[in-house]
Amino acid sequence: VTIALLISRPRREWLPVLLAVAFGTGVGEYIDDNSLVSTVVQRGLSVLEVGLSAALLPPFLDLESWLGMPRLYPRFAAAVLVGPLVSGILAALYFHVTEATPLLSALSSWALADAMGIAAVLPLALALRSVRLRELFDLKRGLATVGTLLPAFAIMGLIFATSRYPLIFVLYPLLMLVDWMLGLLGSSIALCGAC
C-alpha cells in the first residue's frame, strides 16, 4: 500500500510518507513487545525496501495510462523482487547475528513474504485508487462482483484444502476467468484471497 502511495506522488514528497508509515508501524511493533533497537532496524529495512521498490516503478496517474507504460512488466517484476531481496538479505544478517536465526530461513521469511505482499497488494491498491466509489457500490456491478468472487473463493478453498489431489493447476485459469469477468480490481481481490 505504501508503494502505491509513493508512486502516486512526486518523489520530493516520498520522505514524509515513508517516515510517517515507519513511525506508525514502529509504534505498533514496539507496543507489541519488540525491542527499540529491533523495531528501528526493521523499520529502516522496510523503508529501504519500499523506497527501492517504488523507485523502480513509473509514476502513477491513472490505471489506464500506467498499464500502458513502456517496460512496465519488467519494472514491476524488478520492484517485486529487488526491494524485498535487498532488505531481506540485510534482515537475514541482522536476525542471524542477533537471534542466531539461520540465514536462509530468515531470508525466506522476510523476502518471500514481502515479495508476495507487494505482488498481491500493489495491483489491488492501484485498482482501488482508479475505481470511483460509486462504481464499487453500484448494485448491478456489486452483485456481479460478489457472484463471481464467492464461487472463486470457494474453488480456491477446495484447491488448497484438498491434499489428496494436486489441484493447484486450476488456480491459474480461475484467476484468468475472474480477470476476464471483473477486470484488474476483481482479479486483484481474487489474487489476495489466493495468497
Side-chain angles (χ1 to χ4, degrees), residues 76 80 114-125 187-189 191-192 195:
F76 183 81
V80 168
D114 286 7
M116 185 184 295
I118 292 170
V121 177
L122 179 59
L124 178 61
S187 64
S188 296
I189 293 169
L191 179 61
C192 287
C195 288

Side-chain angles (χ1 to χ4, degrees), residues 13 21 44 60 85 107 122-123 128 133 144-145 147 156 171 178 183 191 193:
E13 297 177 11
V21 169
F60 180 85
L85 187 59
L107 176 64
L122 179 59
L128 284 171
L133 281 178
T145 300
M156 284 182 224
L171 181 63
V178 171
L191 179 61

Side-chain angles (χ1 to χ4, degrees), residues 45-70:
L45 292 172
S46 291
V47 164
L48 172 67
E49 174 184 301
V50 169
L52 184 56
S53 291
L56 293 168
L57 292 168
F60 180 85
L61 299 173
D62 63 79
L63 192 59
E64 188 173 315
S65 65
W66 196 74
L67 290 174
M69 294 269 187

Side-chain angles (χ1 to χ4, degrees), residues 139-155 174 177-178 181-182:
L139 182 61
K140 184 178 176 185
R141 183 172 175 162
L143 289 174
T145 300
V146 170
T148 302
L149 289 176
L150 284 180
F153 288 144
I155 293 169
L174 177 66
L177 177 64
V178 171
M181 295 177 74
L182 300 177

